[in-house]
Coordinates of all heavy atoms in Angstrom, one line a residue:
M1 N 0.9 -1.2 0.0 CA 0.0 0.0 0.0 C 0.9 1.2 0.0 O 1.8 1.4 0.8 CB -0.9 -0.1 1.3 CG -1.8 1.1 1.3 SD -2.6 0.9 3.0 CE -4.0 1.9 2.8
E2 N 0.6 2.2 -0.9 CA 1.4 3.4 -1.0 C 0.9 4.4 0.1 O -0.2 4.4 0.5 CB 1.2 4.1 -2.4 CG 1.8 3.3 -3.5 CD 1.6 4.0 -4.8 OE1 2.2 5.1 -5.0 OE2 0.8 3.5 -5.6
S3 N 1.9 5.2 0.5 CA 1.5 6.2 1.5 C 0.7 7.3 0.8 O 0.8 7.5 -0.4 CB 2.8 6.8 2.2 OG 3.4 7.7 1.3
S4 N 0.0 8.1 1.6 CA -0.8 9.2 1.0 C 0.0 10.3 0.4 O -0.3 11.0 -0.5 CB -1.8 9.8 2.1 OG -1.0 10.3 3.1
K5 N 1.3 10.4 0.9 CA 2.2 11.4 0.4 C 2.5 11.2 -1.1 O 2.8 12.1 -1.8 CB 3.5 11.5 1.2 CG 3.3 12.3 2.5 CD 4.7 12.7 3.0 CE 4.5 13.8 4.0 NZ 5.6 14.4 4.5
A6 N 2.5 9.9 -1.5 CA 2.9 9.5 -2.8 C 1.8 10.1 -3.8 O 2.1 10.3 -5.0 CB 2.9 8.0 -3.0
H7 N 0.6 10.4 -3.3 CA -0.5 10.9 -4.2 C -0.6 12.4 -4.2 O -1.4 13.0 -4.9 CB -1.8 10.3 -3.8 CG -1.8 8.8 -3.9 ND1 -1.8 8.2 -5.1 CD2 -1.8 7.8 -3.0 CE1 -1.8 6.9 -5.0 NE2 -1.8 6.6 -3.7
Q8 N 0.3 13.1 -3.4 CA 0.2 14.5 -3.4 C 0.8 15.1 -4.7 O 1.9 14.8 -5.1 CB 1.0 15.1 -2.2 CG 0.3 14.8 -0.9 CD 1.0 15.4 0.3 OE1 2.2 15.6 0.2 NE2 0.4 15.6 1.4
D9 N 0.0 16.1 -5.2 CA 0.5 16.8 -6.4 C 1.5 17.8 -5.9 O 1.2 18.7 -5.2 CB -0.7 17.4 -7.1 CG -0.3 18.4 -8.2 OD1 0.8 18.5 -8.5 OD2 -1.2 19.1 -8.7
P10 N 2.8 17.8 -6.4 CA 3.8 18.7 -5.9 C 3.4 20.1 -6.2 O 3.7 21.0 -5.4 CB 5.0 18.3 -6.7 CG 4.7 17.1 -7.5 CD 3.3 16.8 -7.4
F11 N 2.7 20.4 -7.3 CA 2.3 21.8 -7.6 C 1.3 22.3 -6.6 O 1.5 23.4 -6.1 CB 1.7 21.8 -9.0 CG 1.2 23.2 -9.4 CD1 2.2 24.2 -9.8 CD2 -0.1 23.6 -9.3 CE1 1.7 25.5 -10.1 CE2 -0.5 24.8 -9.7 CZ 0.4 25.8 -10.1
T12 N 0.4 21.5 -6.3 CA -0.6 21.9 -5.3 C 0.0 22.1 -3.9 O -0.3 23.1 -3.2 CB -1.7 20.8 -5.2 OG1 -2.3 20.6 -6.4 CG2 -2.8 21.2 -4.2
V13 N 0.9 21.2 -3.5 CA 1.6 21.4 -2.3 C 2.4 22.7 -2.2 O 2.3 23.4 -1.3 CB 2.5 20.2 -2.0 CG1 3.4 20.4 -0.8 CG2 1.7 18.9 -1.8
A14 N 3.1 23.0 -3.3 CA 3.9 24.2 -3.4 C 3.1 25.4 -3.3 O 3.4 26.4 -2.6 CB 4.8 24.2 -4.7
R15 N 1.9 25.4 -4.0 CA 1.0 26.6 -4.0 C 0.4 26.8 -2.6 O -0.1 27.8 -2.3 CB -0.1 26.4 -5.1 CG 0.5 26.3 -6.5 CD 1.2 27.5 -6.9 NE 0.4 28.7 -7.0 CZ 0.8 29.9 -7.4 NH1 2.1 30.1 -7.6 NH2 0.0 30.9 -7.4
G16 N 0.3 25.7 -1.8 CA -0.3 25.8 -0.5 C 0.6 26.4 0.5 O 0.1 26.7 1.6
K17 N 1.8 26.6 0.2 CA 2.7 27.1 1.2 C 2.6 28.6 1.2 O 2.6 29.3 0.2 CB 4.2 26.7 0.9 CG 4.6 25.3 1.2 CD 6.0 25.1 1.0 CE 6.4 23.7 1.1 NZ 7.7 23.4 0.6
L18 N 2.6 29.2 2.5 CA 2.6 30.6 2.6 C 4.0 31.2 2.3 O 5.0 30.8 2.8 CB 2.2 31.0 4.0 CG 1.9 32.4 4.4 CD1 0.7 32.8 3.5 CD2 1.6 32.6 5.8
C19 N 4.1 32.1 1.3 CA 5.3 32.7 1.0 C 5.1 34.1 0.5 O 4.0 34.5 0.0 CB 6.1 31.9 0.0 SG 5.2 31.5 -1.5
T20 N 6.1 35.0 0.7 CA 6.0 36.4 0.4 C 6.4 36.7 -1.0 O 7.4 36.1 -1.5 CB 6.8 37.2 1.4 OG1 6.4 36.9 2.7 CG2 6.7 38.7 1.1
A21 N 5.7 37.5 -1.7 CA 6.1 38.1 -3.0 C 6.2 37.2 -4.1 O 7.0 37.4 -5.0 CB 7.5 38.8 -2.7
E22 N 5.4 36.1 -4.1 CA 5.4 35.2 -5.3 C 5.0 36.0 -6.5 O 5.5 35.6 -7.6 CB 4.4 34.1 -5.0 CG 5.1 32.8 -4.9 CD 4.1 31.7 -5.0 OE1 2.9 31.9 -5.0 OE2 4.6 30.5 -5.1
A23 N 4.2 37.0 -6.4 CA 3.7 37.7 -7.6 C 4.3 39.1 -7.7 O 3.8 40.0 -8.4 CB 2.2 37.9 -7.5
G24 N 5.5 39.2 -7.2 CA 6.2 40.5 -7.3 C 5.8 41.5 -6.3 O 5.2 41.2 -5.2
M25 N 6.0 42.8 -6.6 CA 5.7 43.9 -5.6 C 4.2 44.2 -5.7 O 3.8 45.1 -6.3 CB 6.5 45.1 -6.0 CG 8.0 45.0 -5.9 SD 8.6 44.9 -4.2 CE 8.7 46.7 -3.8
T26 N 3.5 43.4 -5.0 CA 2.0 43.5 -5.1 C 1.4 44.7 -4.5 O 0.3 45.1 -4.7 CB 1.4 42.2 -4.4 OG1 2.1 42.0 -3.2 CG2 1.5 41.0 -5.3
G27 N 2.3 45.5 -3.8 CA 1.8 46.8 -3.2 C 1.5 47.8 -4.3 O 0.8 48.7 -4.1
D28 N 2.1 47.5 -5.5 CA 1.8 48.4 -6.7 C 0.4 48.4 -7.1 O -0.1 49.3 -7.8 CB 2.7 48.1 -7.8 CG 4.2 48.5 -7.6 OD1 4.4 49.2 -6.6 OD2 5.1 48.0 -8.3
W29 N -0.3 47.3 -6.8 CA -1.7 47.1 -7.3 C -2.7 47.9 -6.5 O -3.8 48.1 -6.9 CB -2.1 45.7 -7.2 CG -1.3 44.7 -7.8 CD1 -0.2 44.9 -8.6 CD2 -1.4 43.2 -7.7 NE1 0.4 43.7 -9.0 CE2 -0.4 42.7 -8.5 CE3 -2.3 42.4 -7.0 CZ2 -0.2 41.3 -8.6 CZ3 -2.1 41.0 -7.2 CH2 -1.1 40.5 -7.9
R30 N -2.3 48.4 -5.3 CA -3.2 48.8 -4.3 C -3.9 50.1 -4.5 O -3.3 51.1 -4.9 CB -2.4 48.9 -3.0 CG -3.2 48.9 -1.7 CD -2.3 48.9 -0.5 NE -1.3 49.9 -0.5 CZ 0.0 49.7 -0.4 NH1 0.5 48.5 -0.2 NH2 0.8 50.8 -0.4
S31 N -5.2 50.1 -4.3 CA -6.0 51.4 -4.4 C -6.3 51.9 -3.0 O -6.6 53.0 -2.8 CB -7.2 51.3 -5.3 OG -8.1 50.3 -4.7
S32 N -6.3 51.0 -2.0 CA -6.5 51.3 -0.7 C -5.7 50.5 0.2 O -5.3 49.4 -0.2 CB -8.0 51.2 -0.2 OG -8.4 49.9 -0.4
R33 N -5.3 51.0 1.4 CA -4.4 50.3 2.3 C -5.0 50.1 3.6 O -5.8 50.9 4.1 CB -3.1 51.0 2.4 CG -3.2 52.3 3.2 CD -1.8 52.8 3.6 NE -0.9 53.1 2.5 CZ 0.4 53.2 2.6 NH1 1.0 53.1 3.8 NH2 1.1 53.5 1.6
P34 N -4.6 49.0 4.3 CA -5.1 48.8 5.6 C -4.3 49.6 6.7 O -3.1 49.6 6.6 CB -4.9 47.3 5.9 CG -3.8 46.9 4.9 CD -3.8 47.9 3.8
E35 N -5.0 50.2 7.5 CA -4.4 51.0 8.6 C -4.8 50.3 9.9 O -6.0 50.1 10.2 CB -4.8 52.4 8.6 CG -4.5 53.2 7.4 CD -3.1 53.8 7.5 OE1 -2.6 54.1 8.6 OE2 -2.5 54.0 6.4
I36 N -3.8 50.0 10.8 CA -4.1 49.3 12.0 C -4.1 50.3 13.2 O -3.2 51.1 13.3 CB -3.1 48.2 12.3 CG1 -3.0 47.2 11.2 CG2 -3.4 47.6 13.7 CD1 -2.0 46.1 11.4
D37 N -5.2 50.3 13.9 CA -5.3 51.1 15.1 C -4.9 50.2 16.3 O -5.7 49.4 16.8 CB -6.7 51.7 15.3 CG -6.9 52.5 16.5 OD1 -6.0 52.5 17.4 OD2 -7.9 53.2 16.7
S38 N -3.7 50.4 16.7 CA -3.2 49.5 17.8 C -3.9 49.6 19.1 O -3.9 48.6 19.9 CB -1.7 49.7 18.0 OG -0.9 49.3 16.9
S39 N -4.5 50.7 19.3 CA -5.3 50.9 20.5 C -6.5 50.0 20.6 O -7.1 49.7 21.6 CB -5.7 52.3 20.8 OG -6.7 52.7 19.8
K40 N -7.0 49.5 19.4 CA -8.1 48.6 19.3 C -7.7 47.2 19.2 O -8.5 46.3 19.4 CB -9.0 49.0 18.1 CG -9.7 50.3 18.3 CD -10.6 50.5 17.0 CE -11.3 51.8 17.1 NZ -12.0 52.1 15.8
C41 N -6.5 46.9 18.8 CA -6.0 45.5 18.5 C -6.0 44.8 19.8 O -5.5 45.2 20.8 CB -4.6 45.6 17.9 SG -3.8 44.0 17.8
I42 N -6.7 43.6 19.8 CA -6.8 42.8 21.0 C -5.4 42.5 21.6 O -5.2 42.5 22.8 CB -7.6 41.5 20.7 CG1 -9.0 41.8 20.4 CG2 -7.5 40.5 21.9 CD1 -9.8 40.7 19.7
L43 N -4.5 42.1 20.7 CA -3.1 41.8 21.1 C -2.4 42.9 21.8 O -1.8 42.8 22.8 CB -2.3 41.3 20.0 CG -2.7 39.9 19.4 CD1 -2.1 39.7 18.1 CD2 -2.4 38.8 20.4
S44 N -2.5 44.1 21.2 CA -1.8 45.3 21.7 C -2.4 45.7 23.1 O -1.7 46.1 24.0 CB -1.9 46.4 20.7 OG -1.2 46.1 19.6
K45 N -3.7 45.5 23.2 CA -4.4 45.9 24.4 C -4.1 45.0 25.5 O -3.9 45.4 26.7 CB -5.9 46.0 24.2 CG -6.4 47.2 23.5 CD -7.9 47.5 23.7 CE -8.8 46.4 23.1 NZ -10.2 46.9 23.0
T46 N -4.1 43.7 25.3 CA -4.1 42.7 26.3 C -2.7 42.0 26.4 O -2.4 41.4 27.4 CB -5.2 41.6 26.2 OG1 -4.9 40.9 25.0 CG2 -6.5 42.3 26.0
G47 N -2.0 41.9 25.3 CA -0.8 41.2 25.2 C -1.1 39.7 25.2 O -0.1 38.8 25.2
N48 N -2.3 39.3 25.1 CA -2.7 37.9 25.1 C -2.7 37.3 23.7 O -3.0 38.0 22.8 CB -4.1 37.7 25.6 CG -4.2 38.0 27.1 OD1 -3.2 37.9 27.8 ND2 -5.4 38.3 27.6
K49 N -2.2 36.1 23.6 CA -2.3 35.4 22.3 C -3.3 34.3 22.5 O -3.6 33.9 23.6 CB -0.9 34.8 22.0 CG 0.2 35.9 21.8 CD 1.5 35.2 21.6 CE 2.6 36.2 21.7 NZ 3.9 35.6 21.7
P50 N -3.9 33.7 21.5 CA -3.7 34.1 20.1 C -4.8 35.0 19.6 O -5.9 34.9 20.1 CB -3.7 32.8 19.4 CG -4.7 31.9 20.2 CD -4.6 32.5 21.6
C51 N -4.5 35.8 18.7 CA -5.5 36.4 17.8 C -4.9 36.2 16.4 O -5.1 35.2 15.8 CB -5.9 37.8 18.1 SG -7.0 38.5 16.9
F52 N -4.2 37.2 16.0 CA -3.4 37.1 14.7 C -4.2 36.6 13.6 O -3.8 35.9 12.7 CB -2.2 36.2 14.9 CG -1.1 36.7 15.8 CD1 -0.7 36.0 16.9 CD2 -0.6 38.0 15.6 CE1 0.3 36.5 17.7 CE2 0.4 38.5 16.4 CZ 0.8 37.8 17.5
L53 N -5.6 36.9 13.6 CA -6.4 36.5 12.5 C -6.0 37.3 11.2 O -6.0 36.8 10.1 CB -7.9 36.8 12.8 CG -8.5 35.9 13.8 CD1 -9.9 36.2 14.1 CD2 -8.4 34.4 13.4
C54 N -5.5 38.5 11.4 CA -5.0 39.3 10.2 C -3.8 38.6 9.6 O -3.7 38.5 8.4 CB -4.6 40.7 10.6 SG -3.6 40.8 12.1
W55 N -2.9 38.1 10.5 CA -1.7 37.3 10.0 C -2.2 36.1 9.3 O -1.7 35.7 8.2 CB -0.8 37.0 11.2 CG 0.2 36.0 10.9 CD1 1.4 36.2 10.3 CD2 0.1 34.6 11.2 NE1 2.1 35.0 10.3 CE2 1.3 34.0 10.8 CE3 -0.9 33.8 11.9 CZ2 1.6 32.6 11.0 CZ3 -0.6 32.4 12.0 CH2 0.6 31.9 11.6
M56 N -3.2 35.4 9.9 CA -3.6 34.1 9.4 C -4.3 34.2 8.0 O -4.0 33.4 7.1 CB -4.5 33.4 10.4 CG -4.8 32.0 10.1 SD -5.6 31.2 11.4 CE -7.2 31.6 11.2
Y57 N -5.1 35.2 7.8 CA -5.9 35.3 6.6 C -5.2 36.1 5.5 O -5.7 36.0 4.4 CB -7.2 35.9 6.9 CG -8.2 35.0 7.6 CD1 -8.5 35.0 8.9 CD2 -8.8 34.0 6.8 CE1 -9.3 34.1 9.5 CE2 -9.7 33.1 7.4 CZ -10.0 33.2 8.7 OH -10.8 32.3 9.3
C58 N -4.2 36.8 5.8 CA -3.5 37.6 4.7 C -3.0 36.7 3.6 O -2.1 35.9 3.8 CB -2.4 38.5 5.2 SG -1.5 39.3 3.9
P59 N -3.5 36.8 2.4 CA -3.1 35.9 1.3 C -1.7 36.2 0.8 O -1.1 35.3 0.2 CB -4.1 36.2 0.2 CG -4.6 37.6 0.4 CD -4.6 37.8 1.9
E60 N -1.1 37.3 1.2 CA 0.3 37.6 0.8 C 1.3 37.2 1.8 O 2.5 37.2 1.6 CB 0.4 39.1 0.5 CG -0.4 39.6 -0.7 CD 0.0 38.9 -2.0 OE1 1.2 38.8 -2.2 OE2 -0.9 38.4 -2.7
G61 N 0.8 36.9 3.0 CA 1.8 36.5 4.1 C 2.7 37.6 4.5 O 3.8 37.4 4.9
I62 N 2.1 38.8 4.5 CA 3.0 40.0 4.8 C 2.6 40.7 6.1 O 3.0 41.9 6.3 CB 3.1 40.9 3.6 CG1 1.8 41.2 2.9 CG2 4.0 40.3 2.6 CD1 1.0 42.3 3.6
V63 N 1.7 40.1 6.9 CA 1.4 40.7 8.2 C 2.3 39.9 9.2 O 2.4 38.7 9.2 CB -0.1 40.4 8.5 CG1 -0.4 41.0 9.9 CG2 -1.0 41.1 7.5
T64 N 2.9 40.7 10.1 CA 3.8 40.1 11.1 C 3.0 39.4 12.2 O 2.0 39.9 12.6 CB 4.8 41.1 11.7 OG1 4.1 42.1 12.4 CG2 5.7 41.7 10.6
K65 N 3.6 38.4 12.7 CA 3.0 37.7 13.9 C 3.7 38.3 15.1 O 4.5 37.6 15.7 CB 3.2 36.2 13.8 CG 2.2 35.5 14.7 CD 2.4 34.0 14.5 CE 1.4 33.2 15.3 NZ 1.6 31.8 15.2
S66 N 3.4 39.6 15.4 CA 4.2 40.3 16.4 C 3.2 41.3 17.1 O 2.1 41.5 16.7 CB 5.3 41.1 15.8 OG 4.8 42.0 14.9
I67 N 3.7 41.8 18.2 CA 2.9 42.8 18.9 C 3.8 44.1 18.9 O 4.9 44.0 19.5 CB 2.6 42.4 20.4 CG1 1.8 41.1 20.4 CG2 1.8 43.5 21.1 CD1 1.6 40.5 21.8
P68 N 3.5 45.2 18.3 CA 2.2 45.4 17.5 C 2.3 44.6 16.2 O 3.5 44.4 15.7 CB 2.1 46.9 17.3 CG 3.5 47.4 17.3 CD 4.2 46.5 18.3
V69 N 1.2 44.3 15.6 CA 1.1 43.7 14.3 C 1.6 44.8 13.2 O 1.2 46.0 13.4 CB -0.3 43.3 14.0 CG1 -0.5 42.8 12.6 CG2 -0.8 42.2 15.0
K70 N 2.4 44.3 12.3 CA 2.8 45.3 11.2 C 2.5 44.7 9.8 O 2.5 43.5 9.7 CB 4.3 45.5 11.4 CG 4.6 46.3 12.6 CD 6.1 46.7 12.7 CE 6.3 47.5 13.9 NZ 7.6 47.2 14.5
I71 N 2.4 45.6 8.9 CA 2.1 45.2 7.5 C 3.2 45.7 6.6 O 3.6 46.8 6.7 CB 0.7 45.7 7.0 CG1 -0.4 45.1 7.9 CG2 0.5 45.5 5.5 CD1 -1.8 45.8 7.7
D72 N 3.6 44.8 5.7 CA 4.7 45.2 4.7 C 3.9 45.8 3.5 O 3.4 45.1 2.7 CB 5.5 44.0 4.3 CG 6.7 44.4 3.4 OD1 6.6 45.5 2.8 OD2 7.6 43.6 3.3
Y73 N 3.9 47.1 3.4 CA 3.2 47.8 2.3 C 3.8 47.6 1.0 O 3.1 47.9 0.0 CB 3.0 49.2 2.7 CG 2.0 49.5 3.8 CD1 2.5 50.0 5.0 CD2 0.7 49.2 3.7 CE1 1.6 50.2 6.1 CE2 -0.2 49.4 4.7 CZ 0.3 49.9 5.9 OH -0.6 50.1 7.0
D74 N 5.0 47.1 0.9 CA 5.6 46.9 -0.4 C 4.8 45.7 -1.1 O 4.8 45.7 -2.3 CB 7.1 46.4 -0.3 CG 8.0 47.6 0.0 OD1 7.5 48.8 -0.3 OD2 9.1 47.4 0.4
Y75 N 4.2 44.9 -0.3 CA 3.6 43.7 -0.9 C 2.1 43.6 -0.6 O 1.4 42.7 -1.1 CB 4.3 42.4 -0.4 CG 5.7 42.4 -0.7 CD1 6.7 42.6 0.2 CD2 6.1 42.2 -2.1 CE1 8.1 42.6 -0.2 CE2 7.4 42.2 -2.4 CZ 8.4 42.4 -1.5 OH 9.7 42.4 -1.8
C76 N 1.6 44.5 0.2 CA 0.1 44.5 0.5 C -0.6 45.0 -0.7 O -0.4 46.1 -1.2 CB -0.2 45.5 1.7 SG -1.9 45.8 1.9
K77 N -1.5 44.1 -1.2 CA -2.3 44.5 -2.4 C -3.6 45.2 -2.1 O -4.4 45.4 -3.0 CB -2.4 43.2 -3.3 CG -3.2 42.1 -2.6 CD -3.2 40.9 -3.5 CE -3.9 39.7 -2.8 NZ -3.7 38.5 -3.5
G78 N -3.9 45.4 -0.8 CA -5.1 46.1 -0.5 C -6.4 45.3 -0.6 O -7.5 45.9 -0.9
C79 N -6.3 44.0 -0.5 CA -7.5 43.2 -0.7 C -8.6 43.4 0.4 O -9.8 43.2 0.2 CB -7.2 41.7 -0.8 SG -6.5 41.1 0.8
G80 N -8.1 43.8 1.6 CA -9.1 44.1 2.7 C -9.5 42.9 3.5 O -10.3 43.1 4.4
I81 N -8.9 41.8 3.3 CA -9.3 40.6 4.0 C -9.0 40.7 5.5 O -9.8 40.4 6.4 CB -8.6 39.3 3.4 CG1 -9.2 39.0 2.0 CG2 -8.8 38.1 4.4 CD1 -8.5 37.9 1.3
C82 N -7.8 41.3 5.8 CA -7.4 41.5 7.2 C -8.4 42.4 7.9 O -8.8 42.1 9.1 CB -6.0 42.1 7.3 SG -5.8 43.7 6.4
A83 N -8.9 43.4 7.3 CA -9.9 44.3 7.9 C -11.2 43.6 8.1 O -11.9 43.7 9.1 CB -10.1 45.5 7.0
Q84 N -11.6 42.7 7.2 CA -12.8 41.9 7.3 C -12.7 41.0 8.4 O -13.7 40.7 9.2 CB -13.1 41.1 6.0 CG -13.7 41.9 4.9 CD -15.2 42.3 5.2 OE1 -15.9 41.5 5.7 NE2 -15.5 43.5 4.9
E85 N -11.6 40.4 8.6 CA -11.4 39.3 9.6 C -11.1 39.8 11.0 O -11.3 39.0 12.0 CB -10.3 38.3 9.2 CG -10.7 37.6 7.9 CD -11.9 36.7 8.0 OE1 -12.3 36.3 9.1 OE2 -12.6 36.5 6.9
C86 N -10.7 41.0 11.2 CA -10.3 41.5 12.5 C -11.5 41.6 13.4 O -12.4 42.4 13.1 CB -9.6 42.9 12.4 SG -9.2 43.6 14.0
P87 N -11.5 40.8 14.5 CA -12.7 40.8 15.3 C -12.9 42.1 16.1 O -14.0 42.4 16.6 CB -12.5 39.6 16.3 CG -11.0 39.4 16.3 CD -10.5 39.9 14.9
A88 N -11.8 42.9 16.3 CA -11.9 44.1 17.0 C -12.1 45.3 16.2 O -12.1 46.5 16.7 CB -10.5 44.3 17.8
K89 N -12.2 45.1 14.9 CA -12.4 46.3 13.9 C -11.2 47.3 14.1 O -11.4 48.5 14.1 CB -13.7 47.0 14.1 CG -14.9 46.1 13.9 CD -15.1 45.6 12.5 CE -16.2 44.6 12.3 NZ -16.0 43.6 11.4
A90 N -10.1 46.7 14.3 CA -8.9 47.6 14.5 C -8.2 47.9 13.2 O -7.3 48.8 13.2 CB -7.9 46.8 15.4
I91 N -8.7 47.3 12.1 CA -8.1 47.6 10.8 C -9.1 48.3 9.9 O -10.2 47.7 9.8 CB -7.6 46.3 10.1 CG1 -6.6 45.6 11.1 CG2 -6.9 46.7 8.8 CD1 -6.1 44.2 10.5
R92 N -8.8 49.4 9.3 CA -9.7 50.0 8.3 C -9.0 50.3 7.1 O -7.8 50.5 7.1 CB -10.3 51.3 8.9 CG -9.4 52.4 9.0 CD -10.0 53.6 9.7 NE -9.0 54.7 9.7 CZ -9.1 55.8 9.0 NH1 -10.1 56.0 8.2 NH2 -8.2 56.7 9.0
M93 N -9.7 50.2 6.0 CA -9.1 50.4 4.7 C -9.2 51.9 4.3 O -10.3 52.5 4.4 CB -9.8 49.6 3.6 CG -9.8 48.1 3.8 SD -8.1 47.4 4.0 CE -7.5 47.6 2.3
V94 N -8.1 52.5 3.9 CA -8.1 53.9 3.6 C -7.6 54.1 2.1 O -6.6 53.4 1.7 CB -7.1 54.6 4.5 CG1 -7.0 56.1 4.2 CG2 -7.5 54.4 6.0
A95 N -8.4 54.9 1.4 CA -8.0 55.1 0.0 C -6.6 55.7 -0.1 O -6.3 56.6 0.7 CB -9.0 56.0 -0.7
E96 N -5.8 55.2 -1.0 CA -4.4 55.7 -1.2 C -4.3 57.2 -1.4 O -3.4 57.8 -0.9 CB -3.7 55.0 -2.3 CG -3.3 53.5 -2.0 CD -2.1 53.4 -1.0 OE1 -1.5 54.4 -0.8 OE2 -1.9 52.3 -0.5
Q97 N -5.3 57.7 -2.2 CA -5.2 59.2 -2.4 C -5.4 60.0 -1.2 O -5.1 61.2 -1.2 CB -6.1 59.6 -3.6 CG -7.6 59.3 -3.4 CD -8.0 58.0 -3.9 OE1 -7.2 57.1 -4.0 NE2 -9.3 57.9 -4.3
N98 N -6.0 59.4 -0.1 CA -6.2 60.2 1.1 C -5.0 60.1 2.1 O -5.1 60.5 3.2 CB -7.5 59.7 1.8 CG -8.7 60.0 0.9 OD1 -8.7 61.0 0.1 ND2 -9.8 59.3 1.1
I99 N -3.9 59.4 1.6 CA -2.8 59.3 2.5 C -1.7 60.2 2.0 O -1.4 60.3 0.8 CB -2.3 57.8 2.4 CG1 -3.4 56.9 3.0 CG2 -1.0 57.6 3.2 CD1 -3.1 55.4 2.7
D100 N -1.1 60.9 3.0 CA 0.0 61.8 2.7 C 1.2 61.1 2.2 O 1.5 60.1 2.6 CB 0.4 62.7 3.9 CG -0.8 63.5 4.3 OD1 -1.6 64.0 3.5 OD2 -0.9 63.8 5.6
Ligands
LIG1 S1 -5.1 44.2 2.7 FE1 -4.6 43.0 4.5 S2 -5.0 40.9 3.9 FE2 -4.9 42.1 2.0 S3 -2.7 41.9 1.3 FE3 -2.9 43.7 2.6 S4 -2.3 43.1 4.6 FE4 -2.8 41.3 3.5
LIG2 S1 -7.0 40.6 13.7 FE1 -7.2 42.6 14.6 S2 -7.2 42.2 16.8 FE2 -6.3 40.4 15.8 S3 -4.1 40.8 15.8 FE3 -4.9 41.5 13.9 S4 -5.3 43.7 14.2 FE4 -5.1 42.7 16.2

């Protein structure tokens, strides 16, 4: 009997790994950016882990798993998933043209 690993498609496995910048400088695509209000972030307020839902759901893998949470804007494409998933509503999307 073959192990289940023998049936894994290497392409699918590779695509399933979280990695940064596979598609280049994805920050260039962005029309709005996520801004984190650390005073609302559960982690920053309590120091308790885990939350990191923004880290977990970011499809670019560019949110740090740290306190405070940070975003690498060179690669953030502005999809807004982090803002959607944040249970504390600590992340809001801001139009790029409204940023100095
Ligand atoms: S908007 Fe949020 S989830 Fe989307 S790429 Fe940027 S940091 Fe990641
Ligand atoms: S999802 Fe929201 S509350 Fe959780 S770590 Fe990220 S910013 Fe903080």
Side-chain angles (χ1 to χ4, degrees):
M1 182 188 199
E2 288 182 69
S3 78
S4 61
K5 279 197 165 188
H7 297 293
Q8 286 182 338
D9 170 6
F11 178 77
T12 305
V13 171
R15 299 298 295 178
K17 283 185 187 167
L18 191 61
C19 51
T20 302
E22 244 193 351
M25 297 285 276
T26 42
D28 290 348
W29 306 353
R30 195 175 55 235
S31 59
S32 60
R33 71 162 63 193
E35 297 273 333
I36 300 177
D37 180 348
S38 290
S39 69
K40 292 183 182 171
C41 170
I42 293 165
L43 290 168
S44 294
K45 280 200 298 196
T46 66
N48 290 339
K49 299 174 187 173
C51 177
F52 293 126
L53 291 177
C54 49
W55 166 81
M56 190 167 84
Y57 281 103
C58 174
E60 296 298 314
I62 47 83
V63 179
T64 62
K65 200 175 183 188
S66 63
I67 302 172
V69 174
K70 291 185 180 144
I71 293 169
D72 185 341
Y73 290 112
D74 283 344
Y75 301 105
C76 168
K77 62 189 177 188
C79 67
I81 292 173
C82 54
Q84 278 292 316
E85 295 299 332
C86 176
K89 302 291 175 219
I91 306 175
R92 69 186 184 109
M93 300 304 291
V94 180
E96 284 289 346
Q97 60 267 26
N98 294 335
I99 296 169
D100 295 329

